[in-house]
């Protein structure tokens, strides 16, 4: 029996570069991205542009979500307000505790008022 993750992994292996359009089209199948795919096959700019789509994907493992968040933050992405925090969606599990603790409390309160953050 082949599980959903194996199917997703085999589908994403067909691509060498992941543009925002491809990442959006992959939808939930993006969960098959490997850490090397995330680190090497998605440009910083394309990764940032794909946050809304990637944040809707469920089932990221800790290594995947951490790789995505670390790549975003190292490329200069900033969590500037509650909406930018909420946009991370399911990727928020990749935020380490020191990053979370460094966020201004009012930013977190602002995010908590957004329905997409609560989900």
């Amino acid at each position: 029996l082949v599980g959903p993750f194996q199917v997703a992994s085999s589908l994403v292996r067909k691509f060498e570069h992941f543009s925002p359009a491809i990442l959006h089209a992959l939808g939930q199948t993006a969960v098959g991205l490997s850490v090397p795919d995330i680190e090497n096959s998605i440009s910083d700019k394309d990764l940032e542009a794909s946050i809304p789509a990637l944040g809707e994907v469920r089932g990221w493992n800790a290594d995947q979500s951490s790789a995505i968040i670390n790549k975003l933050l190292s490329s200069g992405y900033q969590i500037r307000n509650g909406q930018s925090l909420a946009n991370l969606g399911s990727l928020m599990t990749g935020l380490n505790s020191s990053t979370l603790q460094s966020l201004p409390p009012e930013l977190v309160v602002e995010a908590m008022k957004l329905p997409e953050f609560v989900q």
Side-chain angles (χ1 to χ4, degrees):
L1 262 166
V2 177
F5 184 76
Q6 288 85 1
V7 171
S9 294
S10 67
L11 287 172
V12 299
R13 278 196 298 266
K14 298 186 181 302
F15 297 96
E16 291 180 17
H17 172 75
F18 296 92
S19 68
I22 290 171
L23 290 167
H24 183 74
L26 285 172
Q28 182 59 41
T29 310
V31 77
L33 288 166
S34 67
V35 171
D37 288 336
I38 294 163
E39 293 173 342
N40 305 315
S41 300
I42 308 172
S43 74
D44 294 347
K45 183 181 86 165
D46 288 348
L47 186 63
E48 185 170 343
S50 301
I51 290 172
L54 295 176
E56 292 180 7
V57 173
R58 300 290 175 239
W60 296 114
N61 67 38
D63 292 337
Q64 290 169 306
S65 59
S66 291
I68 292 170
I69 293 295
N70 291 338
K71 184 170 179 141
L72 281 170
L73 295 176
S74 69
S75 71
Y77 179 79
Q78 295 183 347
I79 301 170
R80 298 177 188 263
N81 55 39
Q83 187 64 58
S84 62
L85 180 61
N87 286 347
L88 294 176
S90 62
L91 297 171
M92 285 191 11
T93 59
L95 286 169
N96 63 40
S97 58
S98 63
T99 301
L100 281 171
Q101 290 173 353
S102 72
L103 296 174
E106 58 274 8
L107 185 148
V108 177
V109 170
E110 180 186 338
M112 289 172 42
K113 294 177 183 174
L114 301 169
E116 60 269 33
F117 180 81
V118 176
Q119 292 174 348

